[in-house]
Amino acid sequence: MGKEAEVKADAAAAEAKKKEEPPKPVDPLTLGMNELKVVMQTLDKAVSTKEGRFMSRAIRMVTTLRRLLSKAVLSKAIETYLPESPAREQLVAFLAKVEEVEKMQIDAPAAAPPADAKEEAKKEGAAESKEDKESEEKAKEREKERIEKEREEAAWVRKMLTVPEAETLVLLLGAIFLLDQKHIESSMTVCWALIQRVLTFNRRTLDPLLSKAYFYWARCVELKGQSAQIRSELLSGYRTAVLKHDQIGQATILNLVLRNYLEFNLYEQADTLIRMSSFPEGDASNNQLARYLYYTGRVKAVQLEYTDAFRNLQQAARKAPQQSALGFRKTVYKLSVIVQLLLGEIPDRSIFSQKGMVSALRPYLHIAQAVRVGDLGAFHKAMQEHAEGFKKDKTYSLIVRMRHNVIKTGLKKINLAYSQISLADVCAKLHLESVEDTEFIVSKCILDGVIDAYVDHEAQTMISKANLDVYSTSEPQMQFHKRVAFCLDMHNQAVKAMRYAENTKTEWESAEERKERLRQEEEMMNSMDEEDDDAF
């Protein structure tokens, strides 16, 4: 028992000593190349096994690698993994124009020498003579292992030089780095050359990388203000993706085409494309599905299909990353609030108090408050104060439609409060222009069933009828049906998102395989949470 206690005490002392030692400085070049090596190994595994999940994992790892990119890291990557080609020479020429930003290497502080250093040195000197032979043998073994490892690594690098996926990934990283450094023209040229290069191959493992190349190319063109010029190329790319059954490419390019149409307010063309195509929900990521639902909801809202638009926008907000993509979620909630108000519903107050969205949604809160009260004056005041912001968000035309909703809400309140009221008083309360307009508006609301009343045209008064019990109408049935349909739709979406194990009952996985699978799934979820949202 005494020996075991001594061993445990020595182990604890060794661990405490390791913790006390300061961390060694990390070279940014080494850190970036190590991360790139991990991505390349995952890419090699995806190519050899033909498994799409490994390729998806490699694409997600690019997000982490993007933060470590520098001119030195990219130059080393080109030298290591990119074979001689015109695309390599072009990328090297573009990189030469980028200014190098040095990342400082932090040196670790020197450790203080122990007080009894001389006594320890004497004890260690006596033990060194016995351990010299063993240390020499271990050093030789380590040297052999190191040489063998270097040979294997060199052979693997030579192999990766012949893999088109590795070449494509390095070119894609170069385009992303140039875009981050504001060299938009160079990045656009590299992306287009990459697309033409990938199209010469017929390899399904290149499809996710091709979709990324299309995305960054379209982004560069949009930043240059030339989006109208690439519409035919995008449609051609979408047609090719459909013919090749490239679901990831279909989802990405379909969203790019819809974004292109909506940028120029071509809602009819966008609606035709949505009706004549279908979104591939199989292999497409949640981010692409969220974008598609947002674009579809925006088109439906403009075309007065508010119910479908609100449902799509709700699903887009749920599918979007909850820890990132704040800009995208702001855009979705802005449009969702307006569509919900156009449906005659009042948004929940918690929507306007979400973290990071309070200031962005404040103008829409003022609009919602005016609609809830039915105050036409407050509505016009909010519109005038925030008109520029609404036009920038492209929601101004939808907010203009809301004037009728404000009037209807005001009439409902007046109908409940007064059994009989003159049209002149209604005109004054709703801040309308004239009594004649008020008479026409009240008559239209009565015809549409908004209020239960009738107009005495001779006396110029509005007379309310007795209020009926809402449970004697079909309103509860409609609300119940709406909630049941929502729950069934959520259940269907959950079933579609489920994944099942490939092995059968006769091939149960071992404990180690299960731990490895759970570790990979945890890494996948963490990388998805950290995913940067350029596209958003």
Side-chain angles (χ1 to χ4, degrees):
M1 294 296 290
K3 291 183 178 179
E4 292 181 0
E6 290 179 1
V7 171
K8 290 181 179 179
D10 293 340
E15 289 181 0
K17 188 176 181 180
K18 287 181 180 178
K19 291 181 179 179
E20 290 176 0
E21 291 179 357
K24 296 181 179 179
V26 181
D27 182 20
L29 177 60
T30 305
L31 187 61
M33 290 305 297
N34 289 341
E35 186 68 26
L36 178 59
K37 183 180 177 181
V38 174
V39 177
M40 286 295 183
Q41 289 173 345
T42 308
L43 200 67
D44 185 27
K45 193 174 182 180
V47 174
S48 59
T49 60
K50 301 293 190 297
E51 286 283 348
R53 56 194 177 96
F54 293 122
M55 181 60 71
S56 300
R57 186 183 304 168
I59 294 295
R60 288 194 299 271
M61 292 169 70
V62 171
T63 304
T64 306
L65 181 59
R66 182 177 186 176
R67 303 189 187 102
L68 304 174
L69 283 181
S70 64
K71 186 176 180 179
V73 172
L74 204 53
S75 300
K76 185 67 175 177
I78 293 172
E79 180 183 346
T80 307
Y81 298 107
L82 200 59
E84 292 290 341
S85 64
R88 170 175 174 167
E89 297 176 1
Q90 186 182 54
L91 182 56
V92 170
F94 287 143
L95 279 180
K97 301 177 183 178
V98 179
E99 295 181 1
E100 178 67 29
V101 179
E102 292 292 340
K103 293 186 178 180
M104 298 300 293
Q105 179 173 316
I106 302 174
D107 296 329
D116 53 349
K118 293 182 179 180
E119 295 180 4
E120 289 184 1
K122 291 179 181 179
K123 293 178 182 179
E124 291 176 359
E128 279 179 1
S129 58
K130 298 179 181 180
E131 298 178 355
D132 281 344
K133 294 181 180 180
E134 295 179 1
S135 61
E136 288 178 1
E137 292 177 359
K138 290 181 179 179
K140 290 180 181 179
E141 291 179 0
R142 286 196 298 268
E143 184 66 19
K144 288 181 181 179
E145 291 177 358
R146 185 184 63 80
I147 295 173
E148 186 65 25
K149 187 176 180 181
E150 287 180 355
R151 288 177 180 173
E152 292 178 358
E153 187 171 350
W156 178 74
V157 170
R158 287 195 298 271
K159 172 191 170 185
M160 295 303 293
L161 285 171
T162 62
V163 177
E165 286 78 7
E167 175 188 354
T168 304
L169 180 63
V170 175
L171 290 173
L172 182 62
L173 291 175
I176 294 173
F177 177 72
L178 290 171
L179 178 60
D180 291 340
Q181 298 298 318
K182 308 301 181 184
H183 291 253
I184 300 173
E185 189 73 34
S186 302
S187 179
M188 184 169 63
T189 305
V190 173
C191 286
W192 181 245
L194 174 59
I195 291 171
Q196 298 304 313
R197 172 69 173 161
V198 173
L199 289 176
T200 59
F201 297 98
N202 188 21
R203 297 165 67 99
R204 300 283 66 80
T205 48
L206 282 170
D207 290 343
L209 295 170
L210 178 61
S211 66
K212 282 288 183 182
Y214 266 111
F215 172 79
Y216 285 109
W217 174 63
R219 178 60 179 161
C220 292
V221 174
E222 182 179 341
L223 292 175
K224 294 287 289 183
Q226 302 171 358
S227 299
Q229 302 176 9
I230 66 167
R231 199 171 297 146
S232 59
E233 285 83 357
L234 289 176
L235 290 171
S236 175
Y238 178 71
R239 184 166 55 250
T240 303
V242 172
L243 293 175
K244 290 183 176 181
H245 300 283
D246 174 14
Q247 294 191 349
I248 299 176
Q250 289 180 49
T252 303
I253 302 176
L254 178 60
N255 283 333
L256 292 175
V257 176
L258 289 174
R259 182 184 180 90
N260 192 297
Y261 281 145
L262 295 180
E263 183 180 354
F264 295 95
N265 298 324
L266 301 175
Y267 290 97
E268 290 294 334
Q269 289 88 330
D271 181 59
T272 303
L273 178 62
I274 292 171
R275 286 189 287 103
M276 302 300 292
S277 62
S278 60
F279 186 83
E281 298 185 9
D283 294 335
S285 65
N286 270 352
N287 291 344
Q288 296 297 337
L289 179 56
R291 291 189 187 101
Y292 178 76
L293 290 170
Y294 166 69
Y295 294 142
T296 306
R298 190 168 156 189
V299 172
K300 298 289 185 185
V302 171
Q303 295 189 335
L304 306 179
E305 300 177 20
Y306 300 133
T307 304
D308 294 339
F310 184 60
R311 183 175 63 251
N312 289 341
L313 291 171
Q314 276 189 317
Q315 291 181 359
R318 280 193 229 102
K319 294 287 185 181
Q322 300 303 310
Q323 304 300 325
S324 59
L326 182 61
F328 177 77
R329 287 188 287 121
K330 284 180 183 177
T331 306
V332 171
Y333 278 113
K334 286 176 182 178
L335 186 57
S336 177
V337 166
I338 297 303
V339 173
Q340 191 173 2
L341 290 172
L342 288 170
L343 279 171
E345 302 174 1
I346 304 300
D348 190 49
R349 184 61 184 260
S350 61
I351 293 177
F352 302 98
S353 58
Q354 297 182 74
K355 184 179 179 181
M357 298 190 187
V358 177
S359 60
L361 295 179
R362 186 172 291 114
Y364 297 87
L365 175 61
H366 296 162
I367 294 291
Q369 289 173 341
V371 174
R372 183 179 63 85
V373 177
D375 189 346
L376 198 60
F379 175 75
H380 286 305
K381 181 180 178 182
M383 277 193 64
Q384 292 174 0
E385 289 181 357
H386 307 289
E388 294 299 326
F390 293 147
K391 290 177 181 177
K392 184 178 179 181
D393 297 336
K394 295 188 176 180
T395 56
Y396 186 79
S397 60
L398 294 175
I399 294 175
V400 170
R401 300 179 187 178
M402 216 175 294
R403 181 175 180 271
H404 299 289
N405 294 63
V406 179
I407 295 173
K408 289 178 182 178
T409 305
L411 279 176
K412 285 180 181 178
K413 290 183 175 293
I414 294 173
N415 184 45
L416 292 174
Y418 297 91
S419 60
Q420 182 175 342
I421 185 173
S422 66
L423 295 179
D425 292 338
V426 174
C427 178
K429 288 181 178 293
L430 296 180
H431 302 282
L432 297 176
E433 296 179 357
S434 63
V435 178
E436 289 78 9
D437 291 344
T438 304
E439 185 176 359
F440 295 142
I441 291 172
V442 171
S443 301
K444 182 68 167 59
C445 289
I446 293 172
L447 183 63
D448 294 340
V450 176
I451 56 176
D452 192 11
Y454 64 92
V455 176
D456 186 349
H457 296 283
E458 294 182 358
Q460 291 288 295
T461 57
M462 182 184 77
I463 302 173
S464 302
K465 296 181 180 179
N467 294 326
L468 298 176
D469 183 10
V470 69
Y471 290 99
S472 65
T473 65
S474 61
E475 182 66 21
Q477 179 185 357
M478 293 171 61
Q479 291 296 328
F480 183 70
H481 173 74
K482 181 180 177 181
R483 295 178 184 182
V484 170
F486 174 78
C487 293
L488 290 176
D489 183 63
M490 182 178 290
H491 174 267
N492 293 336
Q493 292 291 336
V495 171
K496 288 181 182 179
M498 292 177 69
R499 295 290 183 271
Y500 301 94
E502 297 179 359
N503 54 349
T504 60
K505 291 184 178 180
T506 59
E507 300 176 354
W508 295 106
E509 60 183 359
S510 63
E512 295 180 357
E513 292 175 346
R514 182 174 178 274
K515 288 181 180 178
E516 178 64 20
R517 178 174 60 79
L518 292 176
R519 185 184 65 81
Q520 292 178 357
E521 290 178 355
E522 185 178 357
E523 290 179 357
M524 185 185 304
M525 294 301 296
N526 292 334
S527 61
M528 290 174 66
D529 289 338
E530 295 174 357
E531 198 170 18
D532 190 48
D533 234 115
D534 321 311
F536 293 131

